[in-house]
Amino acid sequence: MSKLVTADVRLLDGMAFEAHSDSGYVLRLDASKEAGGAASGMRPIELLLLGLGGCTGMDVIGILRKMRQNVTGYELHVRGERRDEHPMVFTRIAVEHVVAGP
């Protein structure tokens, strides 16, 4: 069985959008000044990397806790390389996990 997840994104002005999630949170998105925006919010491409880091991190910390590992610190560093021309898709993404504990 699948669960429907929705997001609503509404144009504010210029290149700025307001995004609403199922959980009730609101986030402002905008393009960089070089891309015609006002840089007044996160860029959508950044959210893709943040989402990957958050999903991966929640999975890994959940597994480590089930294994009764004493994790005292945990960070993820997500780096993506994109094409220079359109479509400017990611061509490489690296996720580095930094785990601290005894």
Side-chain angles (χ1 to χ4, degrees):
M1 180 179 245
S2 62
K3 180 181 187 240
L4 179 65
V5 179
T6 65
D8 297 311
V9 182
R10 179 176 55 91
L11 177 66
L12 297 174
D13 56 52
M15 295 289 282
F17 287 81
E18 183 176 86
H20 296 259
S21 68
D22 279 344
S23 56
Y25 291 99
V26 177
L27 181 67
R28 185 180 179 97
L29 308 171
D30 200 356
S32 66
K33 291 183 179 180
E34 298 79 26
S40 65
M42 282 197 190
R43 292 178 288 156
I45 201 74
E46 294 171 321
L47 290 175
L48 218 146
L49 294 180
L50 291 171
L52 173 61
C55 285
T56 303
M58 288 180 189
D59 286 346
V60 170
I61 196 65
I63 291 167
L64 290 171
R65 287 177 177 160
K66 284 180 185 173
M67 295 173 60
R68 301 188 192 291
Q69 297 298 306
N70 183 12
V71 177
T72 58
Y74 180 38
E75 297 179 9
L76 291 99
H77 305 286
V78 184
R79 306 286 182 262
E81 293 178 16
R82 295 174 65 195
R83 289 173 31 124
D84 290 331
E85 61 277 345
H86 290 278
M88 297 173 69
V89 297
F90 283 111
T91 56
R92 182 174 180 271
I93 296 176
V95 181
E96 177 186 11
H97 299 259
V98 181
V99 182

